[in-house]
Amino acid sequence: MKILKIHFKNIHSLEGEHKIDFTQKPFAQSHLFAITGATGSGKSTILDVIPLALYNKIPRLESAISKNLMLKNGAILTRGQREAFARVTYACKKGIFTTEWHVRVANNGNLQDHEMFLYDAEGKPITQKKSEVPAKNEELIGLNYEQFTKSVMLAQSEFSRFLKVKKEERSALLEQITGTAIYRRLGQAAYEKFKGLKNLMEESEHRVTDLKTKLLTPEEIQKIQTQEKELKEIQKSLTNELKELESNLEAFSQWEIQKNQITELTKREEKAQQNLENFHLTEGEKLIWHEKTNAFGDELFDWNAKKNDLQGYQSEIDLKTKEKISAEKRVHETIYAVQNWVKIPNLESEEIDFALSDFYQKIKKWEDERNKKLSLYKELKAAVSAELRVLNLPFESTKLTHLKQKWSEIEQFFKPLKIQEISKKDFLAQKERLQEAIEKIQSIEKKALEIIQFEQNNTEKKDKLRRWNEEKLDLSPRLRELRNFLSLQKLNVEKLELEIQNRELQKTLADYRADLEENKPCPLCGSVHHPWANKAVEKTDELHKKFKEEKKLLENRQEEKFKLETDFSSLEKNITALEKEVSENERELQLLIQIFRKESAEFHWNSDFSTLISEKKKALKNWENYYENLMEKKALETVLPLYERLDKITQEGLDLKKKIDEATHGADLYETTQFLQKKWQEAKSNLRNAEQNLADLNAIRDEKEKIFQGLEKKLENQVSRLGFDSISSAFDKRLNAEVVKSLNERKSNMIQSFENLKLEKNLLKKSFDVLDSQLKNLDFEQSLLARKETAANLESNEVLLKEFFAQQRQQQIYETEILLLNEKIAVENKKIRYWRMLNELIGDARGKRFNDFAQDLTLSQLLHLANKRLVQLKSRYWLTQPEANEDDGLMAIDQDMGNQRRSVKTLSGGETFILSLALALGLSDLAAHNVRIETLFIDEGFGTLDPEILDKTMDTLERLQQENQRMIGIISHVEMLKERISTQIQIKQNGNGMSDIEVVG
């Protein structure tokens, strides 16, 4: 695993955005670098960025970073900032990845929850959930947070303390450093598991014992079974007796039911007979009359159809008669409308077409004449509008009187003038000459104003220079006077100070007592309490008071002198600068005057340029006014005749329009004429059609009526013989086939229902007679009482049987539970055997047994790896565990002294550092397992090394870096180390509690 880039913003005291790229210069050439800076500048913050981006944790806080933790501790986000992030790019076996931690403050000022992201080398997100990022980083790198901090960021202080502590404390410290607390938890878990299984098995055994005390004895079981058998015999006898009694009671019930049913059937039989009689009186008569007409039924239906057909024809004839009357009315209405349109009264039908055509031709001639005048009007309007545009007049609002008035005004304008023809080219040329003259004068005026402003500005600066010189003359004597006073005052203060010193040398014991203050040490005995000091003589030191006053006066006058000297110096500088500026302005002013005189010899810069410009503008305006009036005069000469002709054409067109409107009343000539012609043709056609249709219908009606009368005469003889009043009466008595069928079915059903009721009643009477003979010798009340008593006895017997059954059931439950518990105990006994063995080997309540064993193995492996590093560091020492009779701390084997064993507590600070460094590197190897660590950060401890040991240590680290191609960062403020390592990340405090980062190398 290798750190490639670190990018962060506003983390702790490192305000702003910072980037450290280990793949670029100078880190690409030198893999050994130093992180330097004063204490508290933020060196460790760089190390915080890495685990923060990877695991959402930092070493200085115990738990994972959350919003509440940041608010509580004021951690991570730089004070006063609204956003922070930590981004780390790293390489591992599975590729290159970038992980990011981010937090911001919302617009309302509340801190939001942090976010985490993880991307592959192409910037594609690996996971969308921030909670999954730490676990995913752990999976990719192969190290959890504890392993990462122990194998990548090595703190010397932990290992220095580890070397010297006693065995008990060393075990706890090793557990903390290596993160092997799991062995303690495993020992505790084995103990708790065995204890829990043992308790469960004991509970089962106690339950079996308790259940056995509740079981019935064999004698009790035999007694219950005998009683149960007797009760079952009694129950059988009572059940049979109860069935017989219930059968008798059921027979009584059936007797009563059948008696009621016979009564009900008698009523229904009587009602059915009455319904049949009523049917014969009402519907039966209809069937008789219908059957009489069967012989000529078809002729009756034919007679009725022909009758209805004739009635239909008569209705249609009446309708067509109304249509004919309506068509005649529309003809008269159309004639009246044509008379009103063409203004000719009493027109005949034959005259209608000619009158409409003649009227149309007359009005059409008027309209053609009006259209010609309208075309001429448009031509004249276009010509007039073109001329009016020259006069800047709109056609719509311009009247002939306005034009005549305008002509009068122009004649008055030219009356005193000699009219001279001017071409547009001459007009524009003269206008351009006047405009150029105005622009030239304006340009000269601008240059003149610049000269005047320069003169005014220079005059103001000369006045200021004069005032400053006067101020300078005022300050000089004041400064001389103040300097003389300070010389004398300084001598006076020194004299007073010498007197005070002489007096201090001559102090008595009483004088010292007078100076004592509570809670401050006595200069003679050192005590901070002075119970007798308040009894000292009162002392007023006028000399001290005078010294302070004179010294204060000296300081005040020194400040005053400093201020005056500062003002004097500032004034001199200002005067020099202003003199130089005035001189430069004078030269520039002379240059401007020379240029002005050269370019504008006929003017002076104080000339009245406003008047000159005003005269030129007036001349330009007069010239433009003359040309404009001349153009308007020409336009009016053309437009006035045209306008008079236009008025005449307009009036003639209006007269024609009035004649047409009076003739047509504003209606469209063509549409109205076409409408009336079409309406006249339709009215004539509708009348002809109505007359023809009416004649056709009358002929058909007459033919059908003749046939109907023949059929009616034939039927009259037949119906009178059968007793019918008329053909209509016979037809009315004729029933529909469906009605006949329905009436016959009703009659048949009523007869069948009556016969069925009669049969059902007879059958039920026979059953009732049999049941009545059976019940003659039985009493219903006695049977009911006997059944009640038998049922009560049976219920009591069943209660006793249930109690016996419950006792036997409970006995079975107890026996089954005992059997199951014994099986469970056998299984648990077999299962607990393994946990008992495991508990005896590694288990105890504190987990100490297995933890001590695991820590001994871990320590042996750690010391083995550390000794391999000591070989690389060329140390004279080897590390080993203490023997029984030795000190509890680790032992060092001194190879230069014949492998003498000595406690690490006897080693110097530099030697201790070398051993702790070897332990740190060994732990890095131990924690990484099969993960190759290509980036290391070593923190603390270099300040304890003498130059020789430090130099040797640096040689070793450089060799280690070269051999393994590791990126090694050393955090320190040791000057020699800074000189030895050229590649540095320098943390510089900027004085406001914040720091900046600079990479050098």
Side-chain angles (χ1 to χ4, degrees):
M1 186 270 181
K2 187 174 185 178
I3 304 296
L4 302 179
K5 296 177 186 177
I6 301 175
H7 184 193
F8 61 95
K9 178 181 180 181
N10 296 330
I11 302 295
H12 295 319
S13 62
L14 297 180
E15 185 179 16
E17 193 167 339
H18 307 281
K19 294 181 181 178
I20 302 172
D21 191 344
F22 294 111
T23 64
Q24 302 297 323
K25 292 180 180 180
F27 302 103
Q29 284 74 31
S30 175
H31 289 184
L32 183 63
F33 62 93
I35 302 175
T36 64
T39 301
S41 61
K43 299 189 295 297
S44 297
T45 297
I46 295 177
L47 299 191
D48 284 347
V49 168
I50 300 171
L52 180 63
L54 289 170
Y55 302 104
N56 188 37
K57 290 183 180 180
I58 59 175
R60 66 181 78 187
L61 295 176
E62 295 178 358
S63 57
I65 303 301
S66 65
K67 180 174 70 174
N68 292 334
L69 188 68
M70 285 190 282
L71 292 172
K72 181 179 178 181
N73 294 280
I76 311 296
L77 181 61
T78 302
R79 174 173 46 83
Q81 298 301 315
R82 301 183 64 84
E83 179 187 24
F85 67 79
R87 187 181 301 129
V88 173
T89 302
Y90 64 87
C92 61
K93 288 181 180 179
K94 297 182 180 179
I96 296 175
F97 301 91
T98 298
T99 182
E100 181 178 342
W101 181 96
H102 193 280
V103 73
R104 62 166 53 91
V105 177
N107 293 332
N108 59 8
N110 294 332
L111 183 67
Q112 296 180 337
D113 288 326
H114 73 277
E115 296 288 339
M116 291 193 78
F117 310 96
L118 180 61
Y119 308 97
D120 61 14
E122 297 177 356
K124 182 180 177 183
I126 302 298
T127 178
Q128 300 295 332
K129 295 182 180 179
K130 69 177 181 180
S131 59
E132 295 176 356
V133 173
K136 193 65 181 176
N137 279 323
E138 180 180 332
E139 178 188 335
L140 293 170
I141 296 170
L143 299 172
N144 60 27
Y145 170 72
E146 288 74 16
Q147 291 170 333
F148 181 86
T149 54
K150 303 306 178 188
S151 58
V152 177
M153 295 182 286
L154 311 180
Q156 298 300 312
S157 60
E158 291 186 20
F159 294 98
S160 179
R161 184 158 60 93
F162 177 77
L163 286 169
K164 300 174 182 179
V165 296
K166 293 182 179 181
K167 181 177 181 180
E168 183 104 10
E169 190 178 348
R170 181 169 62 246
S171 179
L173 194 57
L174 184 62
E175 180 181 318
Q176 177 189 345
I177 292 172
T178 59
T180 53
I182 188 171
Y183 299 112
R184 183 182 299 278
R185 294 197 294 273
L186 284 172
Q188 290 173 328
Y191 170 79
E192 293 296 334
K193 182 68 175 178
F194 170 70
K195 183 180 177 182
L197 290 173
K198 184 181 177 183
N199 290 339
L200 285 174
M201 191 171 71
E202 288 176 351
E203 287 176 6
S204 297
E205 289 173 345
H206 292 155
R207 176 63 178 163
V208 168
T209 304
D210 183 50
L211 288 173
K212 285 181 178 180
T213 61
K214 296 179 180 179
L215 289 175
L216 296 172
T217 64
E219 292 78 12
E220 290 174 332
I221 293 172
Q222 183 63 40
K223 183 180 178 182
I224 289 171
Q225 289 175 347
T226 303
Q227 291 175 343
E228 182 183 16
K229 187 176 180 182
E230 293 173 356
L231 287 171
K232 284 182 177 179
E233 291 295 330
I234 295 170
Q235 185 182 28
K236 185 177 180 181
S237 174
L238 289 172
T239 302
N240 292 333
E241 185 180 346
L242 183 62
K243 284 180 179 179
E244 185 179 353
L245 288 169
E246 286 180 344
S247 177
N248 293 336
L249 289 172
E250 178 64 25
F252 277 115
S253 176
Q254 285 297 321
W255 180 85
E256 187 68 28
I257 290 169
Q258 289 180 4
K259 180 182 177 182
N260 293 334
Q261 286 177 342
I262 289 169
T263 304
E264 179 64 24
L265 285 171
T266 301
K267 292 179 181 178
R268 287 171 62 191
E269 182 184 7
E270 292 172 355
K271 186 176 180 181
Q273 188 174 7
Q274 182 64 42
N275 289 339
L276 188 58
E277 291 172 358
N278 292 337
F279 179 82
H280 284 304
L281 292 174
T282 55
E283 306 299 334
E285 187 177 353
K286 291 180 182 178
L287 284 172
I288 293 169
W289 281 107
H290 172 76
E291 289 171 354
K292 285 181 179 182
T293 63
N294 282 341
F296 49 90
D298 293 339
E299 286 85 347
L300 283 173
F301 279 115
D302 188 26
W303 172 84
N304 186 64
K306 285 180 168 55
K307 177 185 174 184
N308 291 336
D309 191 24
L310 283 171
Q311 289 175 350
Y313 270 99
Q314 186 59 47
S315 297
E316 194 168 351
I317 288 168
D318 293 343
L319 179 63
K320 292 299 180 182
T321 303
K322 290 179 181 178
E323 288 179 358
K324 179 187 172 188
I325 294 168
S326 176
E328 290 172 345
K329 184 178 179 183
R330 281 197 294 272
V331 166
H332 292 303
E333 288 174 352
T334 305
I335 293 171
Y336 180 74
V338 171
Q339 289 174 351
N340 287 338
W341 174 247
V342 299
K343 309 294 189 296
I344 301 174
N346 303 321
L347 282 172
E348 298 295 331
S349 300
E350 297 77 11
E351 299 174 333
I352 294 296
D353 291 326
F354 175 77
L356 283 170
S357 176
D358 184 62
F359 181 77
Y360 176 79
Q361 293 299 325
K362 183 178 70 172
I363 302 302
K364 186 73 171 61
K365 183 179 179 182
W366 290 351
E367 285 186 343
D368 291 343
E369 187 177 349
R370 180 174 177 270
N371 288 334
K372 289 178 183 178
K373 291 186 179 296
L374 182 62
S375 298
L376 182 59
Y377 170 82
K378 289 179 179 177
E379 291 175 4
L380 289 171
K381 179 183 176 183
V384 170
S385 297
E387 295 300 327
L388 287 177
R389 279 197 294 274
V390 176
L391 298 171
N392 293 321
L393 294 173
F395 176 82
E396 290 75 11
S397 60
T398 303
K399 304 297 180 184
L400 183 61
T401 53
H402 297 157
L403 294 175
K404 289 179 178 179
Q405 184 180 353
K406 184 74 175 174
W407 172 256
S408 176
E409 290 172 358
I410 289 174
E411 282 185 328
Q412 289 296 323
F413 177 79
F414 282 108
K415 196 172 184 179
L417 299 174
K418 181 180 179 182
I419 300 174
Q420 182 181 358
E421 289 295 327
I422 301 171
S423 67
K424 187 173 183 180
K425 181 179 178 182
D426 294 339
F427 165 74
L428 292 175
Q430 179 62 16
K431 180 180 178 181
E432 186 176 354
R433 284 193 292 273
L434 288 170
Q435 287 175 337
E436 286 175 352
I438 292 169
E439 289 173 358
K440 182 180 178 183
I441 295 171
Q442 287 175 336
S443 176
I444 293 169
E445 181 187 28
K446 186 177 179 182
K447 293 176 181 177
L449 284 173
E450 190 175 356
I451 292 171
I452 293 168
Q453 287 174 355
F454 252 86
E455 286 179 337
Q456 291 175 350
N457 189 25
N458 222 23
T459 303
E460 291 173 358
K461 288 180 178 179
K462 286 177 181 178
D463 290 341
K464 186 184 286 187
L465 187 61
R466 178 181 53 77
R467 290 197 303 274
W468 283 357
N469 281 316
E470 290 174 356
E471 289 178 16
K472 181 181 175 184
L473 290 173
D474 290 341
L475 285 175
S476 296
R478 288 175 60 192
L479 267 174
R480 283 196 301 273
E481 181 182 348
L482 193 56
R483 285 167 183 161
N484 293 334
F485 173 81
L486 285 172
S487 298
L488 295 173
Q489 185 66 14
K490 189 174 182 182
L491 291 172
N492 189 22
V493 169
E494 289 174 353
K495 182 180 177 182
L496 287 170
E497 187 176 11
L498 185 60
E499 287 182 25
I500 290 170
Q501 289 174 356
N502 291 333
R503 183 165 179 176
E504 288 290 328
L505 294 172
Q506 298 169 6
K507 260 189 178 182
T508 64
L509 184 60
D511 294 326
Y512 282 113
R513 285 173 59 192
D515 291 337
L516 292 175
E517 295 181 29
E518 190 66 16
N519 294 323
K520 289 188 177 181
C522 172
L524 298 177
C525 66
S527 175
V528 294
H529 300 292
H530 321 291
W532 299 98
N534 55 0
K535 295 185 180 179
V537 292
E538 292 294 328
K539 175 184 173 184
T540 56
D541 194 342
E542 294 294 334
L543 190 60
H544 277 86
K545 184 178 178 183
K546 186 176 181 182
F547 170 75
K548 290 179 181 177
E549 290 173 352
E550 294 298 328
K551 188 175 181 181
K552 180 68 175 175
L553 179 61
L554 176 64
E555 291 171 351
N556 290 340
R557 292 301 174 88
Q558 283 175 336
E559 289 179 6
E560 185 180 350
K561 171 179 169 286
F562 176 76
K563 185 176 183 304
L564 285 174
E565 286 176 341
T566 303
D567 292 346
F568 189 80
S569 175
S570 176
L571 201 56
E572 283 184 327
K573 289 178 182 177
N574 290 340
I575 289 171
T576 303
L578 193 57
E579 286 175 344
K580 184 178 179 181
E581 194 174 340
V582 167
S583 177
E584 290 175 353
N585 283 353
E586 283 289 344
R587 285 196 299 273
E588 193 170 349
L589 178 62
Q590 291 304 318
L591 181 62
L592 287 172
I593 292 172
Q594 288 176 9
I595 294 170
F596 183 85
R597 286 173 175 170
K598 184 178 179 181
E599 295 179 352
S600 314
E602 71 271 23
F603 295 105
H604 189 271
W605 56 86
N606 287 322
S607 299
D608 188 0
F609 292 101
S610 299
T611 303
L612 291 172
I613 293 169
S614 177
E615 289 174 353
K616 291 293 181 183
K617 286 184 176 179
K618 185 176 180 182
L620 176 62
K621 186 176 181 182
N622 290 337
W623 177 249
E624 289 175 338
N625 195 24
Y626 180 84
Y627 182 75
E628 183 181 344
N629 278 285
L630 185 63
M631 293 298 103
E632 288 180 354
K633 180 175 180 296
K634 289 181 178 180
L636 284 170
E637 287 173 349
T638 304
V639 78
L640 280 171
L642 291 173
Y643 213 115
E644 289 172 351
R645 190 178 173 195
L646 182 67
D647 270 3
K648 182 181 177 184
I649 292 296
T650 302
Q651 188 57 47
E652 290 173 351
L654 290 172
D655 293 342
L656 282 171
K657 185 176 185 303
K658 184 178 179 182
K659 285 172 67 178
I660 293 168
D661 289 344
E662 287 174 351
T664 62
H665 300 289
D668 184 88
L669 174 65
Y670 177 76
E671 289 183 358
T672 305
T673 304
Q674 287 292 106
F675 170 77
L676 288 172
Q677 286 176 339
K678 184 178 179 182
K679 187 176 180 182
W680 170 242
Q681 296 301 328
E682 287 177 352
K684 288 195 298 181
S685 176
N686 290 339
L687 181 59
R688 285 196 300 271
N689 291 337
E691 289 172 345
Q692 184 63 43
N693 291 337
L694 187 61
D696 293 344
L697 285 172
N698 281 325
I700 295 169
R701 193 269 316 269
D702 293 343
E703 181 67 25
K704 287 183 178 290
E705 189 171 9
K706 183 177 179 182
I707 296 169
F708 174 73
Q709 288 173 354
L711 179 61
E712 190 175 42
K713 186 175 181 181
K714 178 183 175 183
L715 284 172
E716 283 176 349
N717 295 327
Q718 292 177 318
V719 299
S720 60
R721 285 200 308 271
L722 294 173
F724 293 102
D725 296 335
S726 63
I727 298 172
S728 297
S729 174
F731 181 79
D732 292 340
K733 296 293 184 181
R734 187 73 182 169
L735 297 176
N736 185 280
E738 292 295 328
V739 174
V740 173
K741 182 180 177 182
S742 175
L743 289 173
N744 284 328
E745 286 178 354
R746 280 181 62 193
K747 178 181 178 182
S748 176
N749 291 337
M750 290 174 74
I751 294 170
Q752 185 65 40
S753 177
F754 176 74
E755 293 297 331
N756 289 342
L757 285 171
K758 201 170 183 182
L759 179 61
E760 185 180 356
K761 177 183 172 183
N762 292 332
L763 291 174
L764 190 60
K765 186 72 172 63
K766 289 178 182 179
S767 175
F768 178 77
D769 292 341
V770 172
L771 195 59
D772 187 59
S773 64
Q774 291 175 356
L775 296 175
K776 281 182 179 180
N777 301 324
L778 295 175
D779 184 86
F780 176 74
E781 294 298 332
Q782 289 180 355
S783 298
L784 194 63
L785 184 61
R787 188 191 67 168
K788 186 176 180 181
E789 290 175 356
T790 304
N793 293 333
L794 185 61
E795 186 177 354
S796 300
N797 198 63
E798 285 178 349
V799 170
L800 292 173
L801 279 172
K802 285 180 181 179
E803 288 178 359
F804 290 146
F805 176 76
Q807 288 178 345
Q808 293 179 72
R809 178 61 182 158
Q810 189 63 51
Q811 179 79 355
Q812 291 174 356
I813 291 171
Y814 288 155
E815 289 173 349
T816 303
E817 189 174 356
I818 289 169
L819 181 63
L820 293 173
L821 284 171
N822 285 331
E823 291 175 356
K824 182 181 177 183
I825 290 167
V827 173
E828 288 176 348
N829 199 19
K830 186 177 179 181
K831 185 178 179 181
I832 202 173
R833 183 174 59 185
Y834 300 107
W835 287 105
R836 182 183 292 109
M837 290 170 61
L838 193 60
N839 182 56
E840 290 171 355
L841 289 171
I842 67 171
D844 64 82
R846 293 174 54 203
K848 186 174 182 303
R849 184 185 301 168
F850 191 40
N851 184 65
D852 290 347
F853 173 75
Q855 295 305 339
D856 283 343
L857 292 177
T858 304
L859 180 59
S860 297
Q861 180 67 8
L862 178 59
L863 292 179
H864 171 70
L865 294 171
N867 286 330
K868 288 174 69 175
R869 292 299 183 186
L870 285 171
V871 173
Q872 294 175 337
L873 291 169
K874 297 189 182 302
S875 172
R876 61 189 279 190
Y877 298 104
W878 282 68
L879 282 170
T880 185
Q881 295 191 53
E883 295 178 353
N885 59 343
E886 291 178 329
D887 183 74
D888 259 3
L890 291 178
M891 302 301 291
I893 298 176
D894 191 342
Q895 299 176 83
D896 292 352
M897 299 296 292
N899 290 337
Q900 179 186 351
R901 296 171 67 90
R902 56 186 290 195
S903 173
V904 292
K905 297 176 183 177
T906 63
L907 300 178
S908 66
E911 292 170 331
T912 302
F913 173 79
I914 294 297
L915 296 181
S916 63
L917 177 60
L919 277 173
L921 294 171
L923 178 64
S924 177
D925 297 333
L926 180 65
H929 296 295
N930 60 344
V931 178
R932 178 176 171 79
I933 304 297
E934 296 186 55
T935 303
L936 286 179
F937 294 94
I938 302 175
D939 192 7
E940 304 172 4
F942 290 92
T944 63
L945 303 181
D946 57 43
E948 182 180 353
I949 299 298
L950 178 60
D951 193 53
K952 184 187 294 185
T953 303
M954 290 306 303
D955 289 339
T956 302
L957 289 174
E958 288 173 354
R959 186 167 61 256
L960 178 65
Q961 177 267 316
Q962 291 170 1
E963 291 173 359
N964 297 279
Q965 286 301 304
R966 287 185 176 182
M967 179 77 69
I968 299 177
I970 298 172
I971 301 176
S972 182
H973 53 268
V974 176
E975 289 299 326
M976 181 178 174
L977 188 142
K978 295 179 187 178
E979 296 171 2
R980 181 71 180 267
I981 303 175
S982 59
T983 302
Q984 297 179 18
I985 300 172
Q986 296 179 352
I987 315 297
K988 298 179 180 180
Q989 293 177 321
N990 56 22
N992 60 354
M994 304 299 169
S995 300
D996 297 320
I997 293 179
E998 182 181 0
V999 176
V1000 297

